[in-house]
Amino acid sequence: MAALEFDEQAARHVERTYATPDVVAQRAQVLALLAPKPGERVLDIGSGPGYLAVSLADAVGPTGTVCGLDVSEAMNTIARSRCASRAWIHIDDGDAANLPYPDASFDAAVSTQVYEYVPDMPRALAELRRVLRPGGRALILDTDWDSAVWHAADRELHERVIAAWEEHLVHPHLPSTLAGLLRRAGFTVPEERVVVLFNPRLHSETFSANIMELIAEFVVGRRGLTAKDAQAWLDDLRARADEGDYLFSLNRYVFLATVT
């Protein structure tokens, strides 16, 4: 299996990662750019552990509606628990290429770290356009791991690990083509931005400290990497922190699109 399986263990790991200040700040930027308004109907495609759905619900209020959609049963279980106090949030089972909603049923949609996993992007974006009303808007955020800067002493091992990690994605370099895909799907793209996750130090509340554990687990058995290799990679990064020269930076690319 090439893709990352979001079972209960992985879902809980993602939940912890999404609670870090790095990703909390990212969500704030996403919300500011999408600008959900009271009474709006908003779709969260790939709602994961439900953090963004809760923030969207607080923005649209009880006169609005938020629908979260995810293919992972484990993620949906976490999200339903997190969202239980807000009756206007609905967490649904489904995938981005087959949205289970009527035409023109949402004012806005958001998708963070999802489309890079979707094999048929033209179909997924056609579905996104279908469920948005005329004049509706969509915000998409995805990562290109080519943008990662991570200080490692063993560069050869590090490059093998990151190459193996990219196998968890269907489109590891989606941001470079996403604006064009959106325009061909009938959207206009009035704004494109970069959100930088920057960790000049390593500690448990950073994005990189959490994601490195998931990476090390995933890469074992890929590109000839062993558990010993994965541990050596982790040890190398932690040694950078011990020596005071740790650095991690990653770009996440944000596209605001509107229905023409």
Side-chain angles (χ1 to χ4, degrees):
M1 181 181 63
L4 182 64
E5 181 72 16
F6 288 102
D7 56 13
E8 183 175 358
Q9 180 180 350
R12 290 295 180 186
H13 198 119
V14 169
E15 182 183 30
R16 292 192 299 273
T17 303
Y18 282 19
T20 61
D22 298 314
V23 185
V24 171
Q26 172 191 291
R27 272 198 302 278
Q29 293 184 65
V30 165
L31 284 164
L33 190 55
L34 185 66
K37 301 175 182 63
E40 285 193 317
R41 290 180 54 84
V42 182
L43 173 61
D44 183 2
I45 300 172
S47 45
Y51 288 116
L52 181 56
V54 167
S55 297
L56 291 167
D58 290 345
V60 303
T63 61
T65 300
V66 174
C67 291
L69 181 80
D70 208 289
V71 297
S72 166
E73 182 178 341
M75 287 289 196
N76 286 340
T77 297
I78 295 170
R80 289 181 183 121
S81 176
R82 175 160 285 110
C83 299
S85 64
R86 295 162 176 81
W88 58 101
I89 302 179
H90 308 278
I91 302 297
D92 302 316
D93 300 316
D95 68 85
N98 297 281
L99 298 177
Y101 308 106
D103 295 357
S105 52
F106 294 99
D107 300 293
V110 60
S111 179
T112 61
Q113 295 296 115
V114 173
Y115 283 120
E116 57 200 36
Y117 297 98
V118 178
D120 192 343
M121 278 300 297
R123 178 181 175 87
L125 294 180
E127 280 287 276
L128 175 62
R129 189 178 188 279
R130 178 184 66 77
V131 301
L132 286 171
R133 65 167 177 79
R137 62 202 187 279
L139 188 144
I140 300 171
L141 178 149
D142 277 291
T143 298
D144 186 332
W145 276 86
D146 271 356
S147 70
V149 177
W150 215 336
H151 184 198
D154 189 338
R155 298 305 304 175
E156 188 274 336
L157 176 59
H158 178 74
E159 288 166 8
R160 287 172 61 205
V161 167
I162 296 304
W165 170 239
E166 286 188 353
E167 292 181 7
H168 85 288
L169 300 169
V170 179
H171 305 292
H173 311 296
L174 179 62
S176 61
T177 60
L178 188 51
L181 287 167
L182 283 163
R183 293 184 181 105
R184 286 189 288 277
F187 291 91
T188 59
V189 184
E191 190 153 5
E192 303 167 61
R193 293 188 184 181
V194 176
V195 173
V196 181
L197 303 183
F198 180 56
N199 299 156
R201 287 167 293 281
L202 179 65
H203 58 80
S204 62
E205 295 301 309
T206 58
F207 172 84
S208 58
N210 284 267
I211 200 69
M212 69 168 61
E213 299 285 350
L214 190 61
I215 292 172
E217 181 178 346
F218 179 82
V219 301
V220 174
R222 301 172 190 275
R223 300 194 176 231
L225 292 164
T226 65
K228 184 177 179 180
D229 292 326
Q231 187 60 53
W233 177 72
L234 287 173
D235 292 343
D236 183 0
L237 296 179
R238 289 167 181 155
R240 301 308 105 233
D242 292 342
E243 295 170 11
D245 60 357
Y246 182 85
L247 187 139
F248 170 87
S249 180
L250 182 70
N251 291 350
R252 288 184 156 174
Y253 298 87
V254 183
F255 301 83
L256 181 65
T258 57
V259 177
T260 55

